[in-house]
């Protein structure tokens, strides 16, 4: 038998864009054929500028181009030989106000096209924890755990976006990259894990200093160490330095040592929290430095807090903010962290707790503890103090739902205030979300009267005033794929969720809640409930992007004093 030599036909793929002088292009490519170099030809106004090549086959390789002059750019490659993950362009001088322009992405990293969605989502690729949430150079910056090449967790980068109102976001270039070694393969060995950011005043210009964990699986003796980097342009991190190369000794900690959260303590020094674990459960570690730049001199002060309940393992993504406007001696602080692998008696997993107490810069004295979110899909909550008032945001998902075998596009929660009234912490949505109210769908009491109210595309806010605190009702949402309702009764306030698979769902119950008002935000893929201005907040990711079709009270007409419903739009 003879074989005929076959050549794989070339399939030319071309990406074109009119771009200005000074435009920067970020792209990632790899070869589809082991041993063969992949090539991309870069032309400007029909003149070849360069060939971009890579021999890598396992993971996409990052390349950066800069256009010295403007014109018509053409990037072309043989799609049978060269695999391109994503290409975006930006003008460094205008990107903060315009955002990046995605010129091409692949099917593997495509964000769901949700034209009406109003929650923050990455422009492409995977996202988990919010990182480095803060105000720098007058804008709110949100960084996040990111893998650009697929919708599954893998080698971690930091994605980046900015906003002026916490609601409208502009996507910026990828900010932090994993080390060269980790970038070679897509085996999820680590990368730039979660962390935080502080503003550094440099002669009138506000630089950003970020702190993060570098994870390298199986590295000895430490898998997780703490790094820091600065950024002068607010777009890219300069080379990182190691600030904590090892865990504190003598505490018998597991290898978990991550998620540095840096904040100003009551004594004016920079403090750092880290999440860790020992044999008994989760621990939050406290460090400080006298260095006003936060660059150096980090020393271990001790264990700030521990939590052993619910079968939790590591404390993740700790964060701490001062509450209210009390003076120094009366001041309370909120310590918030994720209880990894926790499970409560109602089946909820990976809960987040908020502990309120006094903090003198060295010792935290807890006074009360409450759950941050009864829906438990608000993980890795990170807050910072913006103009005297803490504001936070969380990953709108739960690790328990993540499978390595399935795409899992995610969003962030609505940004939330962190308020304290002397007895409890409340987390209402930021005021900016009021501007999302686009058209009134019900202002005349149809919902309150028991009518079935169509919800257009399902991107809506429903506001209910109850006739008395805790007045019982059940609001059912019509959805083609899932069962969803919100119920208030003697047990408390509960998001009733079922995915129709027959699998029992946890009970998302705010036990004993007796609110007088309830705000419900529905979007493709989520429901968020804020009762009594966020005194009880519940976030549940919905495993579908189809909108809720309609709402109707199935019980408790007499409990609703007023109901208003708005179509929301960004
Ligand atoms: C929390 C977390 C962090 C870690 C990051 C990795 O969701 O597990 O502890 O830094 O995700 O992506």
């Amino acid at each position: 038998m003879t074989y005929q030599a076959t050549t794989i036909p070339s399939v030319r793929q071309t990406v074109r864009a009119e771009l200005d002088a000074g435009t920067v292009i970020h792209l990632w490519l790899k070869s589809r054929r082991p041993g063969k170099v992949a090539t991309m030809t870069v032309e400007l106004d029909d003149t070849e500028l360069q060939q971009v090549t890579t021999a890598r086959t396992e993971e996409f390789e990052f390349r950066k181009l800069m256009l010295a002059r403007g014109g018509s750019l053409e990037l072309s490659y043989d799609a049978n030989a060269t695999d391109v993950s994503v290409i975006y362009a930006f003008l460094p001088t205008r990107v903060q106000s315009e955002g990046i322009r995605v010129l091409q992405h692949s099917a593997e990293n495509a964000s769901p096209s949700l034209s009406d969605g109003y929650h923050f989502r990455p422009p492409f690729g995977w996202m988990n924890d919010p990182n480095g949430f803060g105000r720098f150079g007058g804008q709110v910056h949100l960084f996040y755990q990111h893998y650009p090449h697929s919708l599954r967790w893998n080698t971690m980068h930091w994605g980046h976006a900015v906003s002026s109102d916490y609601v409208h976001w502009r996507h910026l270039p990828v900010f932090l990259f994993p080390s060269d070694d980790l970038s070679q393969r897509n085996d999820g060995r680590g990368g730039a894990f979660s962390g935080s950011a502080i503003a550094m005043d440099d002669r009138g210009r506000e630089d950003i200093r970020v702190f993060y964990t570098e994870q390298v699986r199986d590295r000895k003796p430490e898998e997780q160490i703490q790094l820091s980097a600065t950024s002068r342009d607010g777009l890219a991190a300069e080379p990182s330095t190691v600030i904590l190369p090892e865990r504190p000794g003598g505490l018998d900690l597991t290898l978990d040592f991550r998620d540095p959260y840096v904040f100003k303590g009551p004594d004016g020094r920079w403090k750092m929290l880290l999440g860790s674990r020992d044999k008994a459960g989760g621990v939050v570690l406290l460090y400080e430095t006298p260095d006003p730049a936060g660059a150096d001199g980090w020393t271990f002060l001790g264990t700030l807090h521990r939590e052993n309940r619910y079968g939790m393992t590591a404390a993740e993504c700790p964060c701490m903010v001062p509450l209210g406007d009390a003076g120094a001696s009366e001041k309370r602080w909120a310590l918030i962290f994720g209880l990894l692998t926790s499970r409560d008696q109602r089946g909820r997993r990976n809960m987040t707790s908020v502990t309120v107490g006094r903090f003198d810069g060295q010792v935290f004295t807890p006074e009360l503890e409450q759950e941050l979110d009864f829906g438990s899909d608000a993980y890795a909550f990170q807050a910072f103090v913006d103009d005297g008032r803490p504001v936070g945001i969380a990953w709108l998902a739960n690790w328990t739902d993540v499978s390595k075998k399935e795409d899992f596009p995610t969003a962030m929660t609505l940004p939330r205030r962190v308020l304290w009234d002397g007895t409890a912490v409340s987390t209402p949505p930021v005021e900016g979300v009021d501007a999302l109210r686009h058209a009134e769908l019900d202002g005349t009491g149809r919902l309150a009267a028991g009518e079935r109210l169509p919800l257009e595309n399902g991107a809506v806010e429903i506001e209910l005033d109850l006739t008395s605190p805790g007045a019982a009702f059940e609001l059912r949402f019509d959805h083609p794929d899932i069962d969803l309702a919100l119920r208030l009764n003697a047990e408390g306030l509960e998001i009733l969720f079922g995915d129709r698979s027959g699998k029992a769902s946890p009970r998302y119950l705010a036990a004993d809640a007796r609110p007088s008002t309830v705000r419900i935000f529905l979007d493709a893929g989520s429901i968020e409930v804020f009762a009594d201005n966020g005194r009880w907040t519940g976030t549940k990711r919905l495993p579908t992007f189809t909108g809720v079709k309609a709402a109707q009270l199935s019980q408790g007409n007499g409990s609703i004093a007023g109901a208003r419903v708005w179509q929301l739009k960004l």
Side-chain angles (χ1 to χ4, degrees), residues 332-350:
R332 298 297 192 281
W333 292 72
L335 170 67
I336 301 167
F337 58 94
L339 282 60
L340 184 66
T341 66
S342 57
R343 182 191 198 111
D344 74 354
Q345 78 274 18
R346 299 195 180 94
R348 294 177 309 172
R349 306 288 308 269
N350 300 314

Side-chain angles (χ1 to χ4, degrees), residues 95-284:
V95 68
Q96 301 270 357
S97 55
E98 292 175 353
I100 55 168
R101 196 167 138 199
V102 177
L103 303 180
Q104 167 146 318
H105 61 76
S106 69
E108 282 71 33
N109 62 11
S111 287
S113 67
L114 302 169
S115 48
D116 302 312
Y118 57 91
H119 281 77
F120 178 82
R121 288 177 183 276
F124 47 82
W126 162 273
M127 174 177 80
N128 57 291
D129 314 351
N131 297 151
F133 194 34
R135 185 179 288 277
F136 313 108
Q139 304 219 74
V140 180
H141 288 243
L142 173 67
F143 303 87
Y144 52 89
Q145 289 286 280
H146 184 44
Y147 179 64
H149 312 309
S150 76
L151 302 177
R152 301 178 195 188
W153 189 90
N154 210 307
T155 316
M156 282 292 110
H157 302 55
W158 275 30
H160 190 190
V162 279
S163 173
S164 313
D165 60 3
Y166 289 111
V167 177
H168 298 88
W169 295 94
R170 295 176 294 283
H171 295 294
L172 296 187
V174 170
F175 182 82
L176 258 184
F177 290 75
S179 66
D180 286 347
D181 173 51
L182 292 170
S183 302
Q184 306 281 331
R185 286 185 270 146
N186 61 356
D187 55 2
R189 277 182 304 143
F193 271 24
S194 283
S196 57
I198 58 174
M200 297 275 71
D201 211 348
D202 187 3
R203 281 154 287 163
R205 194 191 53 210
E206 222 170 31
D207 294 349
I208 306 176
R209 173 174 287 283
V210 297
F211 301 88
Y212 66 100
T213 301
E214 187 198 53
Q215 145 93 6
V216 180
R217 195 171 60 217
D218 299 332
R219 178 172 58 190
K220 303 269 183 320
E222 301 291 340
E223 285 194 347
Q224 305 189 333
I225 60 173
Q226 315 317 320
L227 272 60
S228 181
T230 55
S231 174
R232 277 170 225 282
D233 61 2
L235 295 178
E238 285 159 25
S240 300
T241 54
V242 176
I243 52 165
L244 290 175
E246 59 188 12
R247 288 161 291 168
L251 295 179
D252 215 7
L253 301 174
T254 58
L255 290 174
D256 300 277
F257 180 52
R258 61 180 174 274
D259 310 336
Y261 175 79
V262 174
F263 65 108
K264 208 30 105 44
D267 51 10
R269 287 187 170 196
W270 291 118
K271 309 285 169 180
M272 180 191 292
L273 305 183
L274 281 153
S276 188
R277 176 188 175 193
D278 63 15
K279 288 201 183 68
V283 292
V284 177

Side-chain angles (χ1 to χ4, degrees), residues 527-540:
I527 178 170
E528 283 165 288
V529 177
F530 300 94
D532 277 5
N533 200 34
R535 166 62 191 85
W536 295 279
T537 295
T539 308
K540 176 77 192 97

Side-chain angles (χ1 to χ4, degrees), residues 346 374 485-489 491-497 506-510 513 529:
R346 299 195 180 94
F374 66 89
L486 183 70
R487 182 171 71 195
L488 179 61
N489 62 20
E491 273 194 283
L493 180 65
E494 184 168 4
I495 297 172
L496 302 163
F497 168 79
R507 287 193 64 190
Y508 302 104
L509 173 71
V529 177

